Amino acid sequence: MLKILKYSFYEMIRSRWIFIYSGFYLIASMALLLLSNDISKVLISLTNIIIILTPLIGILFGTIYYYNSKEFIQLLMAQALSRWSIFTGMYLGLAAALCISILIGIGIPLIAYGVLGSAELSLFLLLITMACVLSIVFSLMAFLIALKFDDKVKGLSISIFVWLFFAIIYDGIFLLLLLGFKEYPLDKLTISMIVLNPIDLARILILMKLDMSAMMGYTGAVLSKFLGKNIGMIIISFSLLLWVILPLWTIRRVSMKKDF
Amino acid sequence: MKILCIAISFLSWTSIFGNRIEVCPTCAFTTIEEAYKSCENGDTLEIKAGIYKIPNWKIQKSIVVRGEKNTHLISQSGEEIITVEKSNVTIQNISFSGVVTNYLKENAAIRVKRCKNVNILNNTIIDCFFAIYLERTKHTKVYGNTINGNKNNIDRTEAESGNGIHAWHCDSILIAQNDIMHHRDGIYLEFVNNSEMNDNRSHDNSRYGLHYMFSNDDSYRRNIIEHNGVGVAVMFSRRIIMTENTFAHNWGHAAYGLLLKEIYDAEISDNKFTENTVAIFVEGSNRINYLRNSFRKNGWAIKFSGGCESNKISNNDFLYNSIDLVVSSQLNNNTFNGNYWSEYTGYDLDNNKIGDVPHYPVKLYSYIHNQVPESVVLMRSLFVDILNFAEKVSPIFTPKDVKDDAPKMNSNL
């Protein structure tokens, strides 16, 4: 498995796209720093970029990568290797490459600017972690989609739809539900809706750091406890972990059964 | 004539440099009561270091009461400690404690009753029901005191805890350089006119840091108001000047940095509002100038409720607030001009540091949030950003005339 991880990782970092990806983050964060000179403003802008972009890139990269290395996977399957180690090795190589390009792209400019000594350090660390977690979750989904659908076009369009769903449509439905049932207590509905969307989970975790003063204005008992205390942090982290474990488990099941 | 001059100077000599009377366990007077009895107007009563348990002490002579570093007066039965009933009294450098909660009487460590020219300087008042209570007094100075109520006041009901400095029906008083914590209201003013509150620090109070009721022509400057239920509440008052204060970390469901209710002709300038749930909450307040304030990282910067007219909001900085502005009605004649909004997305082609397109500070999201508070979790979501953008292009729900025609490109401050 480690050997496959190594090969897949080397292949990824030799790819042109991963360079462009980290280059984009590098340029974006440097440009923001040069434009505003205020680290908290830069972090807010980066939050918006990360929440939209990392899931999109994660899911597209993952699907394309799987389809491109399909022959290689089939070749590996002819060897005396378990399917599980082949898929986890391939996947971990991809995820590691994505996370490293985020760390380089956002980490280097901000550290060079001096975020480590500033008051915003915890927000910065949270932001980087959430970017990595979102990449991991969405590239997992990408692998799952690509495994399920052999047709390249179908697989790609489904991954784009999945991103669209979690990034925009889901929040639209969420808001409609809230508006439609505003006469009822909505605390529990809100929490369960958050838990079911990894992008929302990451966003709320960042919000709890960024907009705490506004969050404290909310009066509902259950939700304000969720938002204000450490319990919320724990539940969110746990749900994000589930969002990693569940797709991983499904990949295992699907890959074992699949007839290549 | 000469004799008269000498007589006057002699009289003033005795009144300024009256006798010094000392109280200590080894002095001529060992108890405060005895010493006070031998005092005359203009005398100085010096209480040496030590702990003195005393019953209620009514000061009816114009004297100076001065303590040493460790002079500590404790209320014998939990009643009021000093009641000043005569003008020209000074109380200085004394520690007080032991006034207990009473539901019938508002007992205070120092009460000043119907007199003028009283100075309360550099005292320490710890764990008292009310600390300093001014009642129908004029030209009084409360300066440099440290007032620390009971830490448990945060958990008590409002009726169980008293105010730090309480002034009722006063005129021309000065409250400055005090440090007040753990009371119900840090400073409470009711029917107090022509007065100044400067350089105080009021923090960790269970209700308000500073509270005005029915008070006119007052000013407060350079105060630091932190971690209170509500920072400053100004209610039913006219012509109040509020400048250079710092309002910070007033967090909670009904927490405001500054709460204005029925205020007319006030001026709010050069203040700093940092990380409050609502920086300014305004209700029924007219003709107020908001100038050069900085609003940084608040949940809401300004929340206008009904009936706010002819307010002028100019040259302020709105930096990274979750929501900059909420107005409750479609109609308004408040003017916004020359503010810097960190959310402004316009451009400045003629390079005069003023944005070329107006800024609309009220977003659709703040309207939705008002309708469904649960939608707080959708803040900064891409969907909400898209909605805000759509609303900005063609406003339907948000008022069209709430706009800043000359938004600044750079920070004002």
Side-chain angles (χ1 to χ4, degrees):
Chain A
M1 190 174 98
L2 276 176
K3 211 156 220 172
I4 299 168
L5 194 161
K6 207 173 82 184
Y7 280 123
S8 110
F9 181 67
Y10 283 157
E11 200 193 331
M12 281 303 291
I13 56 171
R14 262 179 306 194
S15 133
R16 184 161 25 125
W17 291 106
I18 211 88
F19 271 103
I20 293 175
Y21 182 47
S22 46
F24 167 77
Y25 275 136
L26 209 63
I27 290 166
S29 31
M30 281 203 293
L32 285 172
L33 281 170
L34 287 177
L35 277 174
S36 78
N37 276 327
D38 188 338
I39 218 147
S40 38
K41 195 174 183 181
V42 171
L43 285 174
I44 290 172
S45 309
L46 276 177
T47 310
N48 291 332
I49 296 178
I50 281 169
I51 281 171
I52 300 162
L53 212 60
T54 47
L56 178 66
I57 300 295
I59 205 164
L60 283 183
F61 244 65
T63 349
I64 294 171
Y65 176 66
Y66 178 88
Y67 286 129
N68 284 348
S69 46
K70 208 168 165 188
E71 275 92 37
F72 179 56
I73 290 172
Q74 276 162 357
L75 179 76
L76 283 177
M77 279 178 178
Q79 315 298 317
L81 289 166
S82 79
R83 284 188 172 188
W84 174 240
S85 64
I86 293 171
F87 280 104
T88 40
M90 297 291 284
Y91 169 72
L92 287 177
L94 167 77
L98 284 174
C99 291
I100 284 171
S101 56
I102 288 167
L103 289 179
I104 291 173
I106 298 173
I108 287 180
L110 279 148
I111 288 171
Y113 194 79
V115 77
L116 291 182
S118 79
E120 308 286 350
L121 177 62
S122 56
L123 179 59
F124 165 72
L125 291 178
L126 184 68
L127 209 60
I128 290 261
T129 325
M130 282 306 112
C132 291
V133 169
L134 281 178
S135 301
I136 289 168
V137 171
F138 277 83
S139 50
L140 261 177
M141 282 191 211
F143 253 57
L144 194 59
I145 291 165
L147 259 172
K148 278 267 185 194
F149 302 96
D150 279 330
D151 186 3
K152 221 174 179 176
V153 179
K154 208 172 175 185
L156 266 176
S157 42
I158 286 175
S159 15
I160 289 174
F161 177 76
V162 166
W163 170 78
L164 206 64
F165 177 76
F166 281 124
I168 303 170
I169 300 171
Y170 189 89
D171 285 351
I173 298 169
F174 193 172
L175 189 61
L176 278 181
L177 277 178
L178 289 181
L179 283 170
F181 295 100
K182 66 180 173 192
E183 281 85 12
Y184 299 91
L186 290 171
D187 290 30
K188 282 169 190 158
L189 173 81
T190 312
I191 294 175
S192 39
M193 286 295 276
I194 295 167
V195 167
L196 291 176
N197 182 348
I199 298 183
D200 276 359
L201 282 170
R203 190 169 50 76
I204 302 277
L205 212 52
I206 294 170
L207 278 189
M208 282 161 117
K209 197 101 210 106
L210 207 61
D211 297 88
M212 199 58 224
S213 34
M215 297 279 163
M216 293 293 283
Y218 179 72
T219 45
V222 182
L223 187 59
S224 64
K225 211 174 266 172
F226 178 77
L227 293 173
K229 301 270 162 54
N230 290 329
I231 304 165
M233 288 254 180
I234 292 163
I235 293 175
I236 289 177
S237 317
F238 183 70
S239 328
L240 276 172
L241 200 67
L242 270 186
W243 268 104
V244 176
I245 292 168
L246 279 180
L248 206 62
W249 181 70
T250 327
I251 285 179
R252 185 186 164 91
R253 230 191 40 189
V254 171
S255 67
M256 291 297 177
K257 277 189 193 158
K258 193 175 159 77
D259 185 12
F260 282 91
Chain B
M1 187 66 198
K2 208 175 179 182
I3 296 165
L4 193 70
C5 279
I6 292 168
I8 287 172
S9 60
F10 181 73
L11 275 175
S12 56
W13 175 265
T14 50
S15 65
I16 294 168
F17 302 100
N19 294 321
R20 264 182 58 201
I21 297 167
E22 293 186 350
V23 180
C24 69
T26 54
C27 302
F29 296 104
T30 53
T31 66
I32 293 171
E33 290 98 316
E34 286 170 28
Y36 174 69
K37 264 177 205 157
S38 68
C39 274
E40 279 173 37
N41 284 346
D43 286 356
T44 301
L45 183 65
E46 281 202 8
I47 307 173
K48 297 285 177 191
I51 295 172
Y52 302 83
K53 283 204 166 184
I54 57 166
N56 178 232
W57 175 19
K58 285 196 166 61
I59 298 182
Q60 286 160 332
K61 298 168 185 170
S62 299
I63 55 169
V64 175
V65 180
R66 194 181 291 150
E68 278 187 343
K69 203 183 167 195
N70 292 315
T71 301
H72 198 139
L73 301 192
I74 298 176
S75 174
Q76 207 169 49
S77 55
E79 278 190 353
E80 206 149 88
I81 301 176
I82 292 183
T83 311
V84 179
E85 295 179 344
K86 177 93 178 170
S87 298
N88 306 317
V89 170
T90 299
I91 299 169
Q92 208 175 344
N93 282 337
I94 303 178
S95 298
F96 296 86
S97 63
V99 178
V100 297
T101 303
N102 186 321
Y103 294 100
L104 298 175
K105 281 198 287 180
E106 295 178 323
N107 285 336
I110 304 170
R111 178 188 293 265
V112 182
K113 227 170 163 178
R114 292 173 188 270
C115 46
K116 287 182 195 168
N117 299 328
V118 175
N119 296 322
I120 300 172
L121 315 171
N122 303 324
N123 299 292
T124 307
I125 302 168
I126 296 163
D127 198 7
C128 287
F129 182 40
F130 281 67
I132 298 172
Y133 200 117
L134 310 176
E135 190 183 319
R136 290 191 187 276
T137 57
K138 284 182 181 171
H139 305 287
T140 287
K141 198 166 148 191
V142 179
Y143 186 92
N145 301 289
T146 304
I147 299 171
N148 189 350
N150 195 316
K151 260 191 188 156
N152 302 326
N153 274 351
I154 294 280
D155 305 319
R156 289 190 196 175
T157 63
E158 283 175 3
E160 283 172 305
S161 59
N163 301 326
I165 299 174
H166 185 110
W168 180 71
H169 266 293
C170 295
D171 200 299
S172 311
I173 57 173
L174 170 70
I175 297 176
Q177 304 270 16
N178 300 291
D179 187 357
I180 309 159
M181 66 199 101
H182 302 129
H183 271 280
R184 177 175 61 192
D185 288 354
I187 302 174
Y188 178 88
L189 308 163
E190 191 172 346
F191 305 110
V192 173
N193 300 331
N194 308 312
S195 299
E196 286 184 34
M197 327 296 140
N198 298 335
D199 305 292
N200 298 293
R201 192 160 168 255
S202 181
H203 55 105
D204 301 290
N205 296 296
S206 62
R207 195 170 68 178
Y208 304 138
L210 170 59
H211 187 180
Y212 283 88
M213 293 293 278
F214 316 108
S215 300
N216 301 329
D217 304 293
D218 297 323
S219 70
Y220 64 96
R221 297 164 209 268
R222 300 180 300 277
N223 298 289
I224 296 172
I225 317 276
E226 290 174 314
H227 301 285
N228 301 294
V230 170
V232 178
V234 187
M235 300 181 178
F236 310 100
S237 302
R238 288 161 187 264
R239 297 176 297 277
I240 306 274
I241 294 170
M242 327 177 193
T243 58
E244 294 173 62
N245 301 289
T246 303
F247 303 79
H249 299 285
N250 298 300
W251 274 8
H253 307 143
Y256 313 109
L258 173 58
L259 167 67
L260 303 174
K261 189 172 168 61
E262 304 287 330
I263 304 301
Y264 302 113
D265 307 295
E267 182 163 319
I268 301 169
S269 58
D270 302 295
N271 298 292
K272 282 197 180 78
F273 296 88
T274 312
E275 294 184 40
N276 303 290
T277 295
V278 180
I280 305 187
F281 183 86
V282 197
E283 202 174 282
S285 301
N286 303 334
R287 299 186 298 279
I288 299 179
N289 295 331
Y290 301 81
L291 311 170
R292 300 179 301 278
N293 300 293
S294 121
F295 299 90
R296 201 182 170 90
K297 284 189 170 178
N298 300 289
W300 288 260
I302 305 182
K303 213 168 179 175
F304 281 111
S305 194
C308 300
E309 284 186 38
S310 309
N311 297 299
K312 202 174 135 198
I313 295 112
S314 292
N315 299 323
N316 301 288
D317 272 10
F318 292 86
L319 304 167
Y320 330 124
N321 303 297
S322 302
I323 294 174
D324 281 335
L325 188 68
V326 175
V327 290
S328 62
S329 59
Q330 292 275 337
L331 282 171
N332 99 99
N333 62 349
N334 302 317
T335 54
F336 295 84
N337 209 341
N339 300 294
Y340 171 68
W341 310 83
S342 63
E343 296 234 320
Y344 181 57
T345 49
Y347 43 81
D348 177 27
L349 289 181
D350 50 6
N351 217 358
N352 62 351
K353 309 277 184 241
I354 294 170
D356 296 344
V357 284
H359 178 65
Y360 296 89
V362 180
K363 291 189 284 188
L364 177 62
Y365 175 66
S366 59
Y367 175 81
I368 296 172
H369 184 274
N370 236 4
Q371 302 269 313
V372 195
E374 280 82 6
S375 65
V376 70
V377 297
L378 287 171
M379 198 180 279
R380 294 185 200 284
S381 145
L382 182 55
F383 181 75
V384 167
D385 288 346
I386 293 170
L387 277 187
N388 279 338
F389 182 73
E391 174 73 16
K392 204 168 151 188
V393 174
S394 57
I396 299 165
F397 297 101
T398 54
K400 280 189 226 38
D401 52 350
V402 178
K403 62 176 178 179
D404 191 334
D405 283 317
K408 293 276 168 60
M409 293 306 286
N410 293 309
S411 165
N412 281 309
L413 308 166

